């Protein structure tokens, strides 16, 4: 029975491997301090936080999120640790809440690895506090208990850590906030919450693991990440995804009894492998964990049936009332999430196998009777065999999931609309200028080392909520990529041109304008498709005067729109005012920028997206090192992309480092010129019908 705690109440813990699940309703930072018998943390190394997410026996999420799962193994705690305090704080962000009194009350649940709740606690009564000690796990006479604390601090995380006895509390708080800011900057923005009709409905596959068969210290289901209560990496459910109840869906693993075999693998509870499609039949693209309980509604009488050898139209959750574009968008994001969670389960299982092997070998070495001789050799060989079995079983489950995702991607990719499709997709050969803006845009593909060559399209919502930074500096490029400094700068601008062309192509005529700043004129060759195509609002601006002119006009535009919106007089804008989205592409930043221009650029990056002015920066951060920390907020506010494959992006669920590869036009293809020609023709017709419209 679950104990519902109130402030100050405690409850005994009968398990040693636990999860502390946090649901806050708004992004919060989760951390923990390890304390001695006196309740004092001995130093910063006793604090686990997003910048240092793992300590013996505990792991926290690497980024701020509305939902967290802290994995705890009390047996793995050092003997000197007698108290584990779970901390929550609000991350400093311009538009975010500043106190817990203005957000829903955080709720915490201490659960077993199977999701069974041991105790819950809702933190009430908070007002001006921005950091709180939520609860603590403490050791008393050899037994562990949980206590609801709910102690808030109006002075924030620094004051909280000071009260924990840390001498460098404020410096540590600043380091934690910096790690959170960097995590937000590198995280792929998650899609907004979906309504029930549009959810990727998943069947919660029941775990077949016993209580002692989960990964130590955090288990297959204990991967630290922003999962909600009752969810696991295997099910892939998110806080907004309702988990179906009732009987197991077709293709999903049925609940089974807990295993008693000590060698059972802690890998994901995967569904039975689907039979491979016949050579002449359609591919079954529906992932077993996303099958519906009820059969989807029959197609309209006018819909032609799928022909043998042709895949059925891909859908995401069979959402009634949703367009195919919306369903494909949800399906792509669902595949992204599935791959993240199944990889997390695999990595956790391998980590458990490694930890178990190390523990068994330590036991062999600690016993003088079995340290040498045949008995010791046999024990070591048996430990190695068990380790291999665990890893093999985890790999088998991973490959089964990868095979299903690969089949799904093979069907989804050809069905994607131009905004979601790769430049090599035949859909571009039938391109026509759209009548309305799509809901998202493809920027490239994402993959993980375990999933290569499987890759997932990277889609971001439109209109852009953040600017883009195409990094032209030296980086740890993956694969066989190698480029000198000059070549990387050229590739970065080529990548920016491809992204810009795609943005132009997916917007209706007259609803998206592009301005280019190329102070030294060094990007003339790479920019030639845009210039020759006649799709720019004006020729690329060069020199300091050109920089000042473009920045001045766009800054004035932002000011005008903001004043009109804030004054409730949006219809009072000047006659002929261009209400289209604006994109500013800046090459070779900060060359040609003085202090005033730099401040204007920062202003556009901060205030522009809310009024339809977006920024795409092609720059090497080292070139701007002379500005020091002045430009740090600018870099963090932009989504960093690279012209060559690099593992610098993180998913919003588990925080894996994903290898990003940009969406570039295939060598020798004329598709870019053909698409831009249609964009230019439509733009010309629109301009002729709206002669008074300007910036």
């Amino acid at each position: 029975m679950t104990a519902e705690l109130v402030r100050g109440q405690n409850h005994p813990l009968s398990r040693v491997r636990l999860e502390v699940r946090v649901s806050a309703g708004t992004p919060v930072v989760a951390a923990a301090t390890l304390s001695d018998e006196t309740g004092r943390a001995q130093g910063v190394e006793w604090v686990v936080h997003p910048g240092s997410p793992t300590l013996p026996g505990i792991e926290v999420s690497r980024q701020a999120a509305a939902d967290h799962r802290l994995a705890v193994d009390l047996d793995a705690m050092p003997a000197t640790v007698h108290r584990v305090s779970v901390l929550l704080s609000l991350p400093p962000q311009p538009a975010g809440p500043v106190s817990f009194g203005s957000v829903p009350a955080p709720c915490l649940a201490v659960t077993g690895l199977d999701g069974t709740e041991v105790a819950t606690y809702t933190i009430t009564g908070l007002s001006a506090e921005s950091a709180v000690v939520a609860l603590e796990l403490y050791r008393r006479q050899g037994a562990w208990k949980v206590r609801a604390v709910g102690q808030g601090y109006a002075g924030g995380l620094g004051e909280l850590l000071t009260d924990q006895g840390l001498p460098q509390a404020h410096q540590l708080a600043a380091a934690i906030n910096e790690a959170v800011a960097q995590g937000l900057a590198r995280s792929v923005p998650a899609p907004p919450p979906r309504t029930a009709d549009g959810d990727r409905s998943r069947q919660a596959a029941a775990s077949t693991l016993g209580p002692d068969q989960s990964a130590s210290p955090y288990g297959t289901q204990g991967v630290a990440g922003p999962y909600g209560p009752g969810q696991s990496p295997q099910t892939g459910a998110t806080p907004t995804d309702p988990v179906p109840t009732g009987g197991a869906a077709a293709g999903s693993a049925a609940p089974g009894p807990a295993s008693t075999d000590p060698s059972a693998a802690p890998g994901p509870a995967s569904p039975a492998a689907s039979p491979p499609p016949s050579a002449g039949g359609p591919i079954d693209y529906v992932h077993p964990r996303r099958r519906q309980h009820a059969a989807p509604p029959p197609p309209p009488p006018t819909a032609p049936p799928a022909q043998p050898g042709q895949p059925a139209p891909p859908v995401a959750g069979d959402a009634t009332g949703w367009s195919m574009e919306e369903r494909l968008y949800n399906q792509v994001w669902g595949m992204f999430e599935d791959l993240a969670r199944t990889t997390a389960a695999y990595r956790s299982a391998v980590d458990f196998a490694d930890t178990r092997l190390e523990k068994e070998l330590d036991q062999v070495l600690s016993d003088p009777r079995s340290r040498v001789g045949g008995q010791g050799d046999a024990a070591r060989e048996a430990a190695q065999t068990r380790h291999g079995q665990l890893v093999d079983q985890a790999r088998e489950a991973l490959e089964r999931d990868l095979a299903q995702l690969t089949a799904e991607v093979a069907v989804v990719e050809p069905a994607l609309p131009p905004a979601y499709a790769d430049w090599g997709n035949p859909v571009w050969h039938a391109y026509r200028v759209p009548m309305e803006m799509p809901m998202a845009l493809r920027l490239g593909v994402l993959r993980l080392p375990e999933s290569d060559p499987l890759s997932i399209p990277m889609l971001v919502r439109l209109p852009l909520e953040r600017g883009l930074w195409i990094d032209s500096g030296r980086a740890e490029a993956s694969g066989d990529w190698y480029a000198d400094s000059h070549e990387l700068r050229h590739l970065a601008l080529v990548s920016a041109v491809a992204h810009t062309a795609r943005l132009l192509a997916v917007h209706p005529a007259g609803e998206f304008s592009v301005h280019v700043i190329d102070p030294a004129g060094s990007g003339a060759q790479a920019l030639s498709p845009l210039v020759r195509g006649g799709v720019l609002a004006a020729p690329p601006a060069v020199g300091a005067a050109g920089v000042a002119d473009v920045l001045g006009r766009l800054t004035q535009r932002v000011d005008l729109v903001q004043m009109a919106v804030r004054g409730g007089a949006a219809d009072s804008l000047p006659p002929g005012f261009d209400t289209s989205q604006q994109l500013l592409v800046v090459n070779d930043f900060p060359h040609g920028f003085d202090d005033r221009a730099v401040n204007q650029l920062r202003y556009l990056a901060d205030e522009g997206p809310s009024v339809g002015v977006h920024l795409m920066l092609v720059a090497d951060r080292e070139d701007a090192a002379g500005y020091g920390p002045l430009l740090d907020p600018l870099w963090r506010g932009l989504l960093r992309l690279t012209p060559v494959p690099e593992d610098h992006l993180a998913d919003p669920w588990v925080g894996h480092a994903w290898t990003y590869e940009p969406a570039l036009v295939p060598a020798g293809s004329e598709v870019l010129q053909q698409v831009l020609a249609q964009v230019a023709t439509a733009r010309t017709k629109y301009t002729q019908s709206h002669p008074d419209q300007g910036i």
Side-chain angles (χ1 to χ4, degrees):
M1 182 175 179
T2 303
E4 298 182 1
L5 305 181
V6 296
R7 183 171 296 170
Q9 185 179 359
N10 59 38
H11 185 75
L13 296 174
S14 58
R15 308 186 184 195
V16 295
R17 297 193 181 102
L18 304 166
E19 290 175 356
V20 179
R21 302 182 176 183
V22 181
S23 180
T26 189
V28 297
V29 180
T33 57
L34 310 184
S35 308
D36 57 19
E37 291 179 304
T38 65
R40 303 302 248 187
Q42 298 301 308
V44 296
E45 66 276 4
W46 283 42
V47 182
V48 57
H49 56 82
S52 177
T54 305
L55 285 177
I58 187 167
E59 181 175 3
V60 302
S61 177
R62 299 173 183 269
Q63 55 198 35
D67 298 274
H68 292 269
R69 293 178 72 176
L70 284 67
V72 180
D73 185 352
L74 298 175
D75 272 354
M77 290 287 174
T80 53
V81 173
H82 289 260
R83 183 181 303 173
V84 180
S85 300
V86 177
L87 321 176
L88 303 178
S89 70
L90 293 171
Q93 46 187 344
V98 297
S99 66
F100 279 106
S102 60
V103 299
C107 180
L108 293 91
V110 180
T111 75
L113 296 181
D114 57 358
T116 303
E117 291 186 347
V118 178
T120 63
Y121 173 45
T122 301
I123 310 175
T124 58
L126 298 178
S127 56
E129 297 87 348
S130 60
V132 60
V133 178
L135 53 78
E136 62 183 19
L137 312 176
Y138 64 97
R139 196 196 316 246
R140 184 67 54 83
Q141 297 178 349
W144 286 90
K145 296 183 178 182
V146 56
R147 176 186 292 123
V149 180
Q151 176 63 53
Y153 295 83
L157 190 57
E159 181 181 342
L160 184 156
L161 294 174
T162 300
D163 197 42
Q164 294 279 314
L166 290 165
Q168 299 175 332
H170 289 281
Q171 294 90 325
L172 177 59
I176 294 174
N177 290 332
E178 176 65 20
V180 171
Q182 292 179 357
L184 291 173
R186 66 189 290 266
S187 177
V188 178
R194 301 181 292 250
T195 59
D197 285 343
D199 286 337
R200 282 168 66 90
S201 190
R202 291 175 174 79
Q203 174 65 24
S207 173
T208 58
L209 306 179
D212 296 327
Q213 292 176 312
S214 295
S216 175
Y218 39 84
T220 299
Q221 292 181 313
V223 180
Y227 315 137
Q231 300 153 1
S232 70
Q234 292 94 308
T235 65
T238 65
T240 58
D241 288 335
V243 179
T245 57
S252 297
S259 172
T260 57
D261 182 5
S263 65
S270 298
S274 301
S278 60
I283 298 176
D284 182 7
Y285 59 85
V286 180
H287 196 283
R289 299 191 187 104
R290 296 197 295 278
R291 297 185 186 274
Q292 301 286 336
H293 290 286
T302 57
Q307 298 299 321
Q310 296 180 351
V315 295
D318 293 322
T320 57
W322 284 52
S323 68
M324 181 59 72
E325 179 191 8
E326 293 169 324
R327 294 157 78 178
L328 284 168
Y329 172 80
N330 287 340
Q331 185 165 11
V332 169
W333 264 92
M335 294 187 299
F336 183 22
E337 181 180 351
D338 286 344
L339 183 55
R341 296 196 190 280
T342 194
T343 304
Y346 168 73
R347 291 180 179 179
S348 182
V350 173
D351 181 74
F352 165 75
D354 293 341
T355 302
R356 176 171 177 168
L357 174 63
E358 182 179 352
K359 183 177 180 180
E360 291 179 347
L361 293 179
D362 286 344
Q363 290 175 347
V364 172
L365 294 175
S366 63
D367 188 351
R369 294 170 300 178
S370 61
R371 190 174 302 164
V372 295
Q375 184 179 356
D377 292 341
R380 282 188 286 270
E381 183 177 352
Q384 293 283 359
T385 300
R386 284 191 292 271
H387 174 271
Q389 291 174 344
L390 292 176
V391 173
D392 290 344
Q393 191 167 350
R395 185 69 198 183
E396 180 182 356
L398 174 67
E399 290 179 350
R400 186 163 55 241
D401 284 348
L402 291 181
Q404 182 65 52
L405 283 170
T406 300
E408 186 174 4
V409 169
V411 174
V412 170
E413 277 282 7
L416 295 177
Y420 302 175
D422 185 73
W423 283 110
N425 193 311
V427 70
W428 284 105
H429 297 291
Y431 168 78
R432 294 294 182 270
V433 177
M435 299 301 293
E436 60 182 17
M437 181 182 71
M439 64 184 300
L441 181 84
R442 181 176 184 140
L443 293 178
V445 294
L446 297 167
R447 65 172 61 93
L448 291 170
E450 293 87 349
S451 67
D452 192 54
L454 172 65
S455 58
I456 306 295
M458 176 183 170
L459 304 181
V460 296
R461 288 298 294 262
L462 291 178
L464 296 173
E465 297 178 357
R466 300 166 63 183
L468 304 177
W469 164 29
I470 315 299
D471 192 353
S472 60
R474 298 288 298 172
E476 294 291 335
S478 62
D480 298 328
W481 281 96
Y482 175 80
D484 58 22
S485 176
H486 176 74
E487 184 179 357
L488 273 174
R489 291 175 187 271
H490 176 73
L491 288 174
L493 189 53
V494 169
S495 177
V497 168
H499 295 317
T500 302
R502 183 182 290 267
L503 282 164
L504 283 165
V506 302
H507 283 82
E511 293 191 12
F512 196 82
S513 298
V514 177
H515 311 266
V516 175
I517 291 179
D518 186 19
S522 59
Q525 179 182 356
L527 292 169
S528 61
L530 300 178
V531 176
R532 291 200 311 264
V535 294
L536 298 180
V542 297
V547 172
D549 177 61
V550 174
L551 291 178
R553 287 187 291 117
L554 289 176
T555 301
Q556 182 184 30
R557 175 192 174 86
V558 172
D559 290 339
L560 283 173
V561 177
Q562 282 187 336
M563 286 189 293
V565 172
R566 291 171 182 172
D571 56 351
S572 65
L573 291 169
F577 186 86
D578 183 7
T579 58
S580 66
Q581 300 280 317
Q582 308 286 318
L583 175 68
L584 173 60
V585 180
V586 179
N587 181 42
D588 206 17
F589 176 80
H591 183 84
F593 280 69
D594 55 20
D595 290 344
R596 174 180 172 81
V598 168
N599 287 330
Q600 287 178 315
L601 192 70
R602 286 188 56 187
Y603 176 72
L604 292 177
D606 293 338
E607 304 295 335
S610 63
V611 293
V613 178
H614 310 284
L615 180 63
M616 183 183 296
L617 202 63
V618 181
D620 180 358
R621 189 169 182 173
E622 292 300 320
D623 292 344
Y627 287 94
L630 175 67
L631 292 181
D632 285 351
L634 174 64
W635 306 120
R636 286 199 298 263
L638 303 175
L639 176 61
R640 176 176 175 258
L641 303 175
T642 55
V644 295
E646 185 184 333
D647 56 347
H648 67 285
L649 291 176
D651 63 79
W653 303 286
V654 185
H656 292 316
W658 292 73
T659 296
Y660 163 79
E661 185 173 342
L664 300 178
V665 179
S669 173
E670 297 293 329
V671 65
L672 186 64
Q673 288 77 4
Q674 296 170 4
V675 169
L676 291 180
Q678 292 198 43
V679 172
T681 301
R683 177 183 174 85
T684 300
K685 293 179 180 179
Y686 180 85
T687 303
Q688 291 172 351
S689 61
H690 299 77
D692 297 330
Q693 187 160 299
I695 189 172

